[in-house]
Amino acid sequence: MSHFDLPLDRLREYRSDVRLPDDFDDFWASTLEGSREAHGETYSREVDNGLTLIATSDVTFSGFAGDPISAWYHRPATGEPTAIVVEFQGYSGGRGLAHQQAEWTAAGYGHLRVDTRGQGVNRGSSGATADPHGSGPAAGSMTRGIASPETYYYRRVFADAVRAVDVAHELAPGVPVFIAGISQGGGIGIAAAALGDDVAGALIDVPFLCDFPRATSITDSDPYAEIVRYLAAFRGLEDDTFRTLSYVDGVNLASRASVPALFSVGLMDQVCPPSTVFGAFNAWGTDDKQIVHYAYSGHEGGGAQHRRLQLDWLAERLG
């Protein structure tokens, strides 16, 4: 592992040249309107998590096109949460088991830990949400339905994420809602912060799904390499593929964000190259933002050290 990307001073100034589609805002407005119109009742059932100080509910809500999405809702066993952290998962991960991930709730917050549809095969973090929509040939989740923005997998995932924000407001009315996510979860978090209603802030760690043209040209690592393998098999589809990706690119979505944000980046990260993270951070639509870089870290980012910074950042935001 090495410093393979731009030096830090150039990263701070880096601006992505990802194209913003002319109908970008209309595309997402229409997608979210359709998903909200299709939503049904949110189901919440308390479960035994084996923990004394944390209560957990098994939540099922309707996401894109009304599809059922699973999440755990953790909260303090006594008293009301002072905020809710809506967390999205890394690539192939799911919501896990009911007793996992206690840090946010131990700090006094509610924690909505949301499944990613069609994923959840990580041995330490299994999922419970299917993706009922088919696609043509694909080299993994990255290329499911990539022939058009309307059929693309991450259109559904991002709509699910915005609906999760809606549900967080339902679960604890009047409580501030924050977004959190690492890697793919960070990319989904950018979308949720940009497109969701009444978001108080975003914690975005080493985000994936940003600056696709640059990412696919400078890293051989999966999951970006799935796009490369797809284009190697289907030559001549480059323009159509990158057009589809432009609708979910974290750089374009970040430009629509208007909430405070704390980012992290590992300067040796070969999975989500530093310039792609800075591309999204520098495009973020407000000056109320901060990025913490870890000079000798890869995709693990700042780990537990950065989590402490996030806890302090949240506490400061809540005053």
Side-chain angles (χ1 to χ4, degrees), residues 242-281:
F242 284 107
R243 174 180 177 273
T244 292
L245 292 170
S246 70
Y247 285 87
V248 302
D249 198 303
V251 173
N252 287 337
L253 286 155
S255 72
R256 297 308 193 251
S258 59
V259 305
L262 174 64
F263 276 64
S264 72
V265 59
L267 297 190
M268 291 185 172
D269 190 347
Q270 296 185 22
V271 176
C272 295
S275 56
T276 68
V277 176
F278 273 93
F281 174 78

PDB file of all heavy atoms in Angstrom, residues 242-281:
ATOM      1  N   PHE A 242     -21.544   5.313 -18.158  1.00  0.00           N
ATOM      2  CA  PHE A 242     -21.184   6.456 -17.320  1.00  0.00           C
ATOM      3  C   PHE A 242     -22.306   7.492 -17.253  1.00  0.00           C
ATOM      4  O   PHE A 242     -22.400   8.243 -16.277  1.00  0.00           O
ATOM      5  CB  PHE A 242     -19.863   7.066 -17.787  1.00  0.00           C
ATOM      6  CG  PHE A 242     -18.677   6.237 -17.365  1.00  0.00           C
ATOM      7  CD1 PHE A 242     -17.978   5.470 -18.296  1.00  0.00           C
ATOM      8  CD2 PHE A 242     -18.275   6.189 -16.038  1.00  0.00           C
ATOM      9  CE1 PHE A 242     -16.904   4.686 -17.901  1.00  0.00           C
ATOM     10  CE2 PHE A 242     -17.206   5.409 -15.638  1.00  0.00           C
ATOM     11  CZ  PHE A 242     -16.519   4.652 -16.576  1.00  0.00           C
ATOM     12  N   ARG A 243     -23.181   7.515 -18.241  1.00  0.00           N
ATOM     13  CA  ARG A 243     -24.371   8.362 -18.133  1.00  0.00           C
ATOM     14  C   ARG A 243     -25.248   7.865 -16.992  1.00  0.00           C
ATOM     15  O   ARG A 243     -25.701   8.655 -16.149  1.00  0.00           O
ATOM     16  CB  ARG A 243     -25.162   8.362 -19.437  1.00  0.00           C
ATOM     17  CG  ARG A 243     -26.495   9.110 -19.330  1.00  0.00           C
ATOM     18  CD  ARG A 243     -27.280   9.099 -20.636  1.00  0.00           C
ATOM     19  NE  ARG A 243     -28.562   9.758 -20.467  1.00  0.00           N
ATOM     20  CZ  ARG A 243     -29.675   9.169 -20.048  1.00  0.00           C
ATOM     21  NH1 ARG A 243     -29.652   7.865 -19.756  1.00  0.00           N
ATOM     22  NH2 ARG A 243     -30.795   9.837 -19.904  1.00  0.00           N
ATOM     23  N   THR A 244     -25.503   6.562 -16.938  1.00  0.00           N
ATOM     24  CA  THR A 244     -26.287   6.004 -15.835  1.00  0.00           C
ATOM     25  C   THR A 244     -25.638   6.318 -14.494  1.00  0.00           C
ATOM     26  O   THR A 244     -26.305   6.773 -13.548  1.00  0.00           O
ATOM     27  CB  THR A 244     -26.427   4.480 -16.001  1.00  0.00           C
ATOM     28  OG1 THR A 244     -27.244   4.207 -17.140  1.00  0.00           O
ATOM     29  CG2 THR A 244     -27.059   3.846 -14.774  1.00  0.00           C
ATOM     30  N   LEU A 245     -24.335   6.100 -14.399  1.00  0.00           N
ATOM     31  CA  LEU A 245     -23.633   6.320 -13.137  1.00  0.00           C
ATOM     32  C   LEU A 245     -23.674   7.777 -12.690  1.00  0.00           C
ATOM     33  O   LEU A 245     -23.640   8.064 -11.493  1.00  0.00           O
ATOM     34  CB  LEU A 245     -22.186   5.847 -13.259  1.00  0.00           C
ATOM     35  CG  LEU A 245     -21.999   4.331 -13.413  1.00  0.00           C
ATOM     36  CD1 LEU A 245     -20.555   4.001 -13.768  1.00  0.00           C
ATOM     37  CD2 LEU A 245     -22.415   3.609 -12.136  1.00  0.00           C
ATOM     38  N   SER A 246     -23.780   8.698 -13.627  1.00  0.00           N
ATOM     39  CA  SER A 246     -23.793  10.116 -13.263  1.00  0.00           C
ATOM     40  C   SER A 246     -25.007  10.481 -12.409  1.00  0.00           C
ATOM     41  O   SER A 246     -24.966  11.456 -11.652  1.00  0.00           O
ATOM     42  CB  SER A 246     -23.740  10.989 -14.518  1.00  0.00           C
ATOM     43  OG  SER A 246     -24.943  10.917 -15.269  1.00  0.00           O
ATOM     44  N   TYR A 247     -26.087   9.711 -12.510  1.00  0.00           N
ATOM     45  CA  TYR A 247     -27.284  10.002 -11.714  1.00  0.00           C
ATOM     46  C   TYR A 247     -27.124   9.592 -10.254  1.00  0.00           C
ATOM     47  O   TYR A 247     -27.870  10.079  -9.386  1.00  0.00           O
ATOM     48  CB  TYR A 247     -28.495   9.275 -12.310  1.00  0.00           C
ATOM     49  CG  TYR A 247     -29.019   9.903 -13.580  1.00  0.00           C
ATOM     50  CD1 TYR A 247     -28.481   9.556 -14.819  1.00  0.00           C
ATOM     51  CD2 TYR A 247     -30.031  10.849 -13.555  1.00  0.00           C
ATOM     52  CE1 TYR A 247     -28.938  10.134 -15.997  1.00  0.00           C
ATOM     53  CE2 TYR A 247     -30.514  11.432 -14.718  1.00  0.00           C
ATOM     54  CZ  TYR A 247     -29.964  11.066 -15.939  1.00  0.00           C
ATOM     55  OH  TYR A 247     -30.426  11.648 -17.103  1.00  0.00           O
ATOM     56  N   VAL A 248     -26.189   8.698  -9.968  1.00  0.00           N
ATOM     57  CA  VAL A 248     -25.976   8.253  -8.589  1.00  0.00           C
ATOM     58  C   VAL A 248     -24.595   8.642  -8.071  1.00  0.00           C
ATOM     59  O   VAL A 248     -24.234   8.267  -6.947  1.00  0.00           O
ATOM     60  CB  VAL A 248     -26.174   6.725  -8.466  1.00  0.00           C
ATOM     61  CG1 VAL A 248     -27.574   6.321  -8.914  1.00  0.00           C
ATOM     62  CG2 VAL A 248     -25.117   5.954  -9.242  1.00  0.00           C
ATOM     63  N   ASP A 249     -23.847   9.386  -8.842  1.00  0.00           N
ATOM     64  CA  ASP A 249     -22.485   9.747  -8.444  1.00  0.00           C
ATOM     65  C   ASP A 249     -22.529  10.660  -7.222  1.00  0.00           C
ATOM     66  O   ASP A 249     -23.239  11.666  -7.194  1.00  0.00           O
ATOM     67  CB  ASP A 249     -21.769  10.448  -9.600  1.00  0.00           C
ATOM     68  CG  ASP A 249     -20.261  10.453  -9.423  1.00  0.00           C
ATOM     69  OD1 ASP A 249     -19.781  10.950  -8.385  1.00  0.00           O
ATOM     70  OD2 ASP A 249     -19.556   9.953 -10.322  1.00  0.00           O
ATOM     71  N   GLY A 250     -21.735  10.294  -6.206  1.00  0.00           N
ATOM     72  CA  GLY A 250     -21.706  11.079  -4.985  1.00  0.00           C
ATOM     73  C   GLY A 250     -21.270  12.514  -5.180  1.00  0.00           C
ATOM     74  O   GLY A 250     -21.632  13.383  -4.383  1.00  0.00           O
ATOM     75  N   VAL A 251     -20.499  12.787  -6.216  1.00  0.00           N
ATOM     76  CA  VAL A 251     -20.103  14.173  -6.498  1.00  0.00           C
ATOM     77  C   VAL A 251     -21.331  14.998  -6.858  1.00  0.00           C
ATOM     78  O   VAL A 251     -21.535  16.110  -6.334  1.00  0.00           O
ATOM     79  CB  VAL A 251     -19.060  14.218  -7.629  1.00  0.00           C
ATOM     80  CG1 VAL A 251     -18.782  15.659  -8.049  1.00  0.00           C
ATOM     81  CG2 VAL A 251     -17.771  13.523  -7.195  1.00  0.00           C
ATOM     82  N   ASN A 252     -22.172  14.487  -7.745  1.00  0.00           N
ATOM     83  CA  ASN A 252     -23.364  15.222  -8.154  1.00  0.00           C
ATOM     84  C   ASN A 252     -24.362  15.344  -7.006  1.00  0.00           C
ATOM     85  O   ASN A 252     -24.988  16.396  -6.820  1.00  0.00           O
ATOM     86  CB  ASN A 252     -24.017  14.534  -9.352  1.00  0.00           C
ATOM     87  CG  ASN A 252     -23.225  14.727 -10.629  1.00  0.00           C
ATOM     88  OD1 ASN A 252     -22.447  15.670 -10.750  1.00  0.00           O
ATOM     89  ND2 ASN A 252     -23.400  13.829 -11.581  1.00  0.00           N
ATOM     90  N   LEU A 253     -24.524  14.274  -6.233  1.00  0.00           N
ATOM     91  CA  LEU A 253     -25.443  14.340  -5.105  1.00  0.00           C
ATOM     92  C   LEU A 253     -24.924  15.272  -4.020  1.00  0.00           C
ATOM     93  O   LEU A 253     -25.695  16.032  -3.413  1.00  0.00           O
ATOM     94  CB  LEU A 253     -25.679  12.934  -4.554  1.00  0.00           C
ATOM     95  CG  LEU A 253     -26.589  12.088  -5.450  1.00  0.00           C
ATOM     96  CD1 LEU A 253     -26.330  10.610  -5.252  1.00  0.00           C
ATOM     97  CD2 LEU A 253     -28.051  12.418  -5.192  1.00  0.00           C
ATOM     98  N   ALA A 254     -23.620  15.261  -3.781  1.00  0.00           N
ATOM     99  CA  ALA A 254     -23.052  16.155  -2.769  1.00  0.00           C
ATOM    100  C   ALA A 254     -23.326  17.616  -3.096  1.00  0.00           C
ATOM    101  O   ALA A 254     -23.521  18.441  -2.196  1.00  0.00           O
ATOM    102  CB  ALA A 254     -21.551  15.911  -2.647  1.00  0.00           C
ATOM    103  N   SER A 255     -23.368  17.939  -4.371  1.00  0.00           N
ATOM    104  CA  SER A 255     -23.632  19.331  -4.756  1.00  0.00           C
ATOM    105  C   SER A 255     -25.031  19.773  -4.366  1.00  0.00           C
ATOM    106  O   SER A 255     -25.317  20.972  -4.322  1.00  0.00           O
ATOM    107  CB  SER A 255     -23.436  19.499  -6.269  1.00  0.00           C
ATOM    108  OG  SER A 255     -24.490  18.876  -7.004  1.00  0.00           O
ATOM    109  N   ARG A 256     -25.908  18.808  -4.064  1.00  0.00           N
ATOM    110  CA  ARG A 256     -27.279  19.126  -3.654  1.00  0.00           C
ATOM    111  C   ARG A 256     -27.450  19.057  -2.139  1.00  0.00           C
ATOM    112  O   ARG A 256     -28.546  19.291  -1.630  1.00  0.00           O
ATOM    113  CB  ARG A 256     -28.262  18.151  -4.314  1.00  0.00           C
ATOM    114  CG  ARG A 256     -28.281  18.228  -5.851  1.00  0.00           C
ATOM    115  CD  ARG A 256     -28.486  19.660  -6.318  1.00  0.00           C
ATOM    116  NE  ARG A 256     -28.816  19.773  -7.711  1.00  0.00           N
ATOM    117  CZ  ARG A 256     -28.013  20.256  -8.662  1.00  0.00           C
ATOM    118  NH1 ARG A 256     -26.765  20.630  -8.353  1.00  0.00           N
ATOM    119  NH2 ARG A 256     -28.432  20.376  -9.904  1.00  0.00           N
ATOM    120  N   ALA A 257     -26.396  18.747  -1.405  1.00  0.00           N
ATOM    121  CA  ALA A 257     -26.491  18.638   0.049  1.00  0.00           C
ATOM    122  C   ALA A 257     -26.387  20.022   0.693  1.00  0.00           C
ATOM    123  O   ALA A 257     -25.616  20.869   0.241  1.00  0.00           O
ATOM    124  CB  ALA A 257     -25.382  17.741   0.584  1.00  0.00           C
ATOM    125  N   SER A 258     -27.150  20.221   1.748  1.00  0.00           N
ATOM    126  CA  SER A 258     -27.149  21.526   2.425  1.00  0.00           C
ATOM    127  C   SER A 258     -27.081  21.367   3.940  1.00  0.00           C
ATOM    128  O   SER A 258     -27.529  22.249   4.674  1.00  0.00           O
ATOM    129  CB  SER A 258     -28.398  22.313   2.032  1.00  0.00           C
ATOM    130  OG  SER A 258     -29.576  21.615   2.386  1.00  0.00           O
ATOM    131  N   VAL A 259     -26.534  20.256   4.406  1.00  0.00           N
ATOM    132  CA  VAL A 259     -26.474  19.983   5.842  1.00  0.00           C
ATOM    133  C   VAL A 259     -25.019  19.911   6.287  1.00  0.00           C
ATOM    134  O   VAL A 259     -24.123  19.648   5.482  1.00  0.00           O
ATOM    135  CB  VAL A 259     -27.205  18.662   6.173  1.00  0.00           C
ATOM    136  CG1 VAL A 259     -28.635  18.693   5.650  1.00  0.00           C
ATOM    137  CG2 VAL A 259     -26.473  17.442   5.612  1.00  0.00           C
ATOM    138  N   PRO A 260     -24.746  20.128   7.573  1.00  0.00           N
ATOM    139  CA  PRO A 260     -23.367  19.994   8.070  1.00  0.00           C
ATOM    140  C   PRO A 260     -22.857  18.577   7.851  1.00  0.00           C
ATOM    141  O   PRO A 260     -23.624  17.604   7.902  1.00  0.00           O
ATOM    142  CB  PRO A 260     -23.500  20.305   9.566  1.00  0.00           C
ATOM    143  CG  PRO A 260     -24.782  21.058   9.702  1.00  0.00           C
ATOM    144  CD  PRO A 260     -25.688  20.537   8.634  1.00  0.00           C
ATOM    145  N   ALA A 261     -21.545  18.458   7.624  1.00  0.00           N
ATOM    146  CA  ALA A 261     -20.980  17.137   7.331  1.00  0.00           C
ATOM    147  C   ALA A 261     -19.578  17.004   7.910  1.00  0.00           C
ATOM    148  O   ALA A 261     -18.799  17.959   7.924  1.00  0.00           O
ATOM    149  CB  ALA A 261     -20.945  16.894   5.826  1.00  0.00           C
ATOM    150  N   LEU A 262     -19.287  15.782   8.364  1.00  0.00           N
ATOM    151  CA  LEU A 262     -17.939  15.396   8.774  1.00  0.00           C
ATOM    152  C   LEU A 262     -17.538  14.194   7.931  1.00  0.00           C
ATOM    153  O   LEU A 262     -18.163  13.128   8.013  1.00  0.00           O
ATOM    154  CB  LEU A 262     -17.907  15.038  10.266  1.00  0.00           C
ATOM    155  CG  LEU A 262     -16.588  14.483  10.802  1.00  0.00           C
ATOM    156  CD1 LEU A 262     -15.476  15.525  10.695  1.00  0.00           C
ATOM    157  CD2 LEU A 262     -16.748  14.018  12.251  1.00  0.00           C
ATOM    158  N   PHE A 263     -16.495  14.364   7.103  1.00  0.00           N
ATOM    159  CA  PHE A 263     -15.978  13.299   6.237  1.00  0.00           C
ATOM    160  C   PHE A 263     -14.695  12.721   6.830  1.00  0.00           C
ATOM    161  O   PHE A 263     -13.999  13.368   7.617  1.00  0.00           O
ATOM    162  CB  PHE A 263     -15.619  13.855   4.863  1.00  0.00           C
ATOM    163  CG  PHE A 263     -16.738  13.969   3.869  1.00  0.00           C
ATOM    164  CD1 PHE A 263     -17.809  14.823   4.086  1.00  0.00           C
ATOM    165  CD2 PHE A 263     -16.708  13.237   2.688  1.00  0.00           C
ATOM    166  CE1 PHE A 263     -18.828  14.960   3.147  1.00  0.00           C
ATOM    167  CE2 PHE A 263     -17.713  13.352   1.741  1.00  0.00           C
ATOM    168  CZ  PHE A 263     -18.780  14.210   1.966  1.00  0.00           C
ATOM    169  N   SER A 264     -14.358  11.504   6.390  1.00  0.00           N
ATOM    170  CA  SER A 264     -13.028  10.959   6.632  1.00  0.00           C
ATOM    171  C   SER A 264     -12.488  10.364   5.340  1.00  0.00           C
ATOM    172  O   SER A 264     -13.256   9.956   4.467  1.00  0.00           O
ATOM    173  CB  SER A 264     -13.047   9.890   7.732  1.00  0.00           C
ATOM    174  OG  SER A 264     -13.662   8.693   7.273  1.00  0.00           O
ATOM    175  N   VAL A 265     -11.156  10.296   5.230  1.00  0.00           N
ATOM    176  CA  VAL A 265     -10.510   9.737   4.052  1.00  0.00           C
ATOM    177  C   VAL A 265      -9.183   9.122   4.466  1.00  0.00           C
ATOM    178  O   VAL A 265      -8.471   9.665   5.319  1.00  0.00           O
ATOM    179  CB  VAL A 265     -10.302  10.826   2.972  1.00  0.00           C
ATOM    180  CG1 VAL A 265      -9.439  11.975   3.489  1.00  0.00           C
ATOM    181  CG2 VAL A 265      -9.690  10.227   1.703  1.00  0.00           C
ATOM    182  N   GLY A 266      -8.861   7.960   3.889  1.00  0.00           N
ATOM    183  CA  GLY A 266      -7.553   7.359   4.070  1.00  0.00           C
ATOM    184  C   GLY A 266      -6.701   7.635   2.848  1.00  0.00           C
ATOM    185  O   GLY A 266      -7.090   7.315   1.724  1.00  0.00           O
ATOM    186  N   LEU A 267      -5.551   8.237   3.026  1.00  0.00           N
ATOM    187  CA  LEU A 267      -4.741   8.660   1.881  1.00  0.00           C
ATOM    188  C   LEU A 267      -4.054   7.496   1.172  1.00  0.00           C
ATOM    189  O   LEU A 267      -3.485   7.679   0.095  1.00  0.00           O
ATOM    190  CB  LEU A 267      -3.709   9.702   2.315  1.00  0.00           C
ATOM    191  CG  LEU A 267      -4.286  11.017   2.857  1.00  0.00           C
ATOM    192  CD1 LEU A 267      -3.176  12.051   3.014  1.00  0.00           C
ATOM    193  CD2 LEU A 267      -5.401  11.567   1.977  1.00  0.00           C
ATOM    194  N   MET A 268      -4.130   6.278   1.749  1.00  0.00           N
ATOM    195  CA  MET A 268      -3.621   5.081   1.078  1.00  0.00           C
ATOM    196  C   MET A 268      -4.753   4.143   0.653  1.00  0.00           C
ATOM    197  O   MET A 268      -4.521   2.969   0.368  1.00  0.00           O
ATOM    198  CB  MET A 268      -2.641   4.335   1.979  1.00  0.00           C
ATOM    199  CG  MET A 268      -1.330   5.059   2.202  1.00  0.00           C
ATOM    200  SD  MET A 268      -0.175   4.039   3.161  1.00  0.00           S
ATOM    201  CE  MET A 268       1.321   5.032   3.049  1.00  0.00           C
ATOM    202  N   ASP A 269      -5.953   4.672   0.592  1.00  0.00           N
ATOM    203  CA  ASP A 269      -7.136   3.863   0.291  1.00  0.00           C
ATOM    204  C   ASP A 269      -7.181   3.521  -1.191  1.00  0.00           C
ATOM    205  O   ASP A 269      -7.421   4.389  -2.031  1.00  0.00           O
ATOM    206  CB  ASP A 269      -8.390   4.639   0.701  1.00  0.00           C
ATOM    207  CG  ASP A 269      -9.656   3.798   0.645  1.00  0.00           C
ATOM    208  OD1 ASP A 269      -9.626   2.698   0.057  1.00  0.00           O
ATOM    209  OD2 ASP A 269     -10.677   4.249   1.205  1.00  0.00           O
ATOM    210  N   GLN A 270      -6.971   2.243  -1.520  1.00  0.00           N
ATOM    211  CA  GLN A 270      -7.020   1.818  -2.913  1.00  0.00           C
ATOM    212  C   GLN A 270      -8.400   1.307  -3.312  1.00  0.00           C
ATOM    213  O   GLN A 270      -8.632   1.006  -4.484  1.00  0.00           O
ATOM    214  CB  GLN A 270      -5.970   0.730  -3.153  1.00  0.00           C
ATOM    215  CG  GLN A 270      -4.558   1.253  -2.957  1.00  0.00           C
ATOM    216  CD  GLN A 270      -3.489   0.233  -3.303  1.00  0.00           C
ATOM    217  OE1 GLN A 270      -3.737  -0.716  -4.049  1.00  0.00           O
ATOM    218  NE2 GLN A 270      -2.292   0.426  -2.780  1.00  0.00           N
ATOM    219  N   VAL A 271      -9.329   1.194  -2.356  1.00  0.00           N
ATOM    220  CA  VAL A 271     -10.704   0.807  -2.658  1.00  0.00           C
ATOM    221  C   VAL A 271     -11.518   2.032  -3.063  1.00  0.00           C
ATOM    222  O   VAL A 271     -12.210   2.028  -4.088  1.00  0.00           O
ATOM    223  CB  VAL A 271     -11.347   0.097  -1.446  1.00  0.00           C
ATOM    224  CG1 VAL A 271     -12.815  -0.232  -1.731  1.00  0.00           C
ATOM    225  CG2 VAL A 271     -10.574  -1.164  -1.102  1.00  0.00           C
ATOM    226  N   CYS A 272     -11.431   3.080  -2.262  1.00  0.00           N
ATOM    227  CA  CYS A 272     -12.083   4.358  -2.578  1.00  0.00           C
ATOM    228  C   CYS A 272     -10.986   5.423  -2.615  1.00  0.00           C
ATOM    229  O   CYS A 272     -10.663   6.024  -1.578  1.00  0.00           O
ATOM    230  CB  CYS A 272     -13.134   4.701  -1.533  1.00  0.00           C
ATOM    231  SG  CYS A 272     -14.515   3.543  -1.496  1.00  0.00           S
ATOM    232  N   PRO A 273     -10.382   5.637  -3.787  1.00  0.00           N
ATOM    233  CA  PRO A 273      -9.225   6.523  -3.872  1.00  0.00           C
ATOM    234  C   PRO A 273      -9.481   7.906  -3.264  1.00  0.00           C
ATOM    235  O   PRO A 273     -10.589   8.441  -3.384  1.00  0.00           O
ATOM    236  CB  PRO A 273      -8.978   6.617  -5.379  1.00  0.00           C
ATOM    237  CG  PRO A 273      -9.516   5.331  -5.929  1.00  0.00           C
ATOM    238  CD  PRO A 273     -10.722   5.044  -5.097  1.00  0.00           C
ATOM    239  N   PRO A 274      -8.479   8.480  -2.605  1.00  0.00           N
ATOM    240  CA  PRO A 274      -8.655   9.750  -1.920  1.00  0.00           C
ATOM    241  C   PRO A 274      -9.241  10.858  -2.796  1.00  0.00           C
ATOM    242  O   PRO A 274     -10.083  11.638  -2.333  1.00  0.00           O
ATOM    243  CB  PRO A 274      -7.238  10.106  -1.459  1.00  0.00           C
ATOM    244  CG  PRO A 274      -6.546   8.793  -1.341  1.00  0.00           C
ATOM    245  CD  PRO A 274      -7.126   7.916  -2.399  1.00  0.00           C
ATOM    246  N   SER A 275      -8.820  10.934  -4.062  1.00  0.00           N
ATOM    247  CA  SER A 275      -9.332  12.013  -4.909  1.00  0.00           C
ATOM    248  C   SER A 275     -10.831  11.895  -5.130  1.00  0.00           C
ATOM    249  O   SER A 275     -11.535  12.907  -5.267  1.00  0.00           O
ATOM    250  CB  SER A 275      -8.600  12.036  -6.256  1.00  0.00           C
ATOM    251  OG  SER A 275      -8.688  10.778  -6.908  1.00  0.00           O
ATOM    252  N   THR A 276     -11.361  10.672  -5.146  1.00  0.00           N
ATOM    253  CA  THR A 276     -12.807  10.511  -5.334  1.00  0.00           C
ATOM    254  C   THR A 276     -13.563  10.980  -4.099  1.00  0.00           C
ATOM    255  O   THR A 276     -14.665  11.532  -4.210  1.00  0.00           O
ATOM    256  CB  THR A 276     -13.166   9.053  -5.658  1.00  0.00           C
ATOM    257  OG1 THR A 276     -12.934   8.208  -4.527  1.00  0.00           O
ATOM    258  CG2 THR A 276     -12.347   8.547  -6.829  1.00  0.00           C
ATOM    259  N   VAL A 277     -12.976  10.763  -2.919  1.00  0.00           N
ATOM    260  CA  VAL A 277     -13.587  11.249  -1.677  1.00  0.00           C
ATOM    261  C   VAL A 277     -13.545  12.773  -1.645  1.00  0.00           C
ATOM    262  O   VAL A 277     -14.550  13.437  -1.346  1.00  0.00           O
ATOM    263  CB  VAL A 277     -12.876  10.653  -0.452  1.00  0.00           C
ATOM    264  CG1 VAL A 277     -13.450  11.239   0.840  1.00  0.00           C
ATOM    265  CG2 VAL A 277     -12.976   9.135  -0.458  1.00  0.00           C
ATOM    266  N   PHE A 278     -12.392  13.338  -1.965  1.00  0.00           N
ATOM    267  CA  PHE A 278     -12.289  14.798  -1.989  1.00  0.00           C
ATOM    268  C   PHE A 278     -13.179  15.394  -3.074  1.00  0.00           C
ATOM    269  O   PHE A 278     -13.680  16.506  -2.924  1.00  0.00           O
ATOM    270  CB  PHE A 278     -10.835  15.228  -2.183  1.00  0.00           C
ATOM    271  CG  PHE A 278     -10.058  15.349  -0.902  1.00  0.00           C
ATOM    272  CD1 PHE A 278      -9.311  14.284  -0.425  1.00  0.00           C
ATOM    273  CD2 PHE A 278     -10.080  16.521  -0.168  1.00  0.00           C
ATOM    274  CE1 PHE A 278      -8.589  14.382   0.753  1.00  0.00           C
ATOM    275  CE2 PHE A 278      -9.370  16.640   1.014  1.00  0.00           C
ATOM    276  CZ  PHE A 278      -8.620  15.563   1.486  1.00  0.00           C
ATOM    277  N   GLY A 279     -13.381  14.655  -4.175  1.00  0.00           N
ATOM    278  CA  GLY A 279     -14.283  15.149  -5.205  1.00  0.00           C
ATOM    279  C   GLY A 279     -15.671  15.388  -4.658  1.00  0.00           C
ATOM    280  O   GLY A 279     -16.314  16.415  -4.946  1.00  0.00           O
ATOM    281  N   ALA A 280     -16.167  14.442  -3.845  1.00  0.00           N
ATOM    282  CA  ALA A 280     -17.488  14.605  -3.233  1.00  0.00           C
ATOM    283  C   ALA A 280     -17.459  15.671  -2.141  1.00  0.00           C
ATOM    284  O   ALA A 280     -18.365  16.519  -2.060  1.00  0.00           O
ATOM    285  CB  ALA A 280     -17.967  13.269  -2.663  1.00  0.00           C
ATOM    286  N   PHE A 281     -16.418  15.640  -1.311  1.00  0.00           N
ATOM    287  CA  PHE A 281     -16.335  16.627  -0.226  1.00  0.00           C
ATOM    288  C   PHE A 281     -16.271  18.048  -0.779  1.00  0.00           C
ATOM    289  O   PHE A 281     -16.976  18.954  -0.294  1.00  0.00           O
ATOM    290  CB  PHE A 281     -15.105  16.341   0.640  1.00  0.00           C
ATOM    291  CG  PHE A 281     -14.863  17.387   1.697  1.00  0.00           C
ATOM    292  CD1 PHE A 281     -15.621  17.393   2.857  1.00  0.00           C
ATOM    293  CD2 PHE A 281     -13.895  18.361   1.518  1.00  0.00           C
ATOM    294  CE1 PHE A 281     -15.413  18.370   3.827  1.00  0.00           C
ATOM    295  CE2 PHE A 281     -13.676  19.331   2.488  1.00  0.00           C
ATOM    296  CZ  PHE A 281     -14.436  19.334   3.648  1.00  0.00           C
TER     297      PHE A 281
END
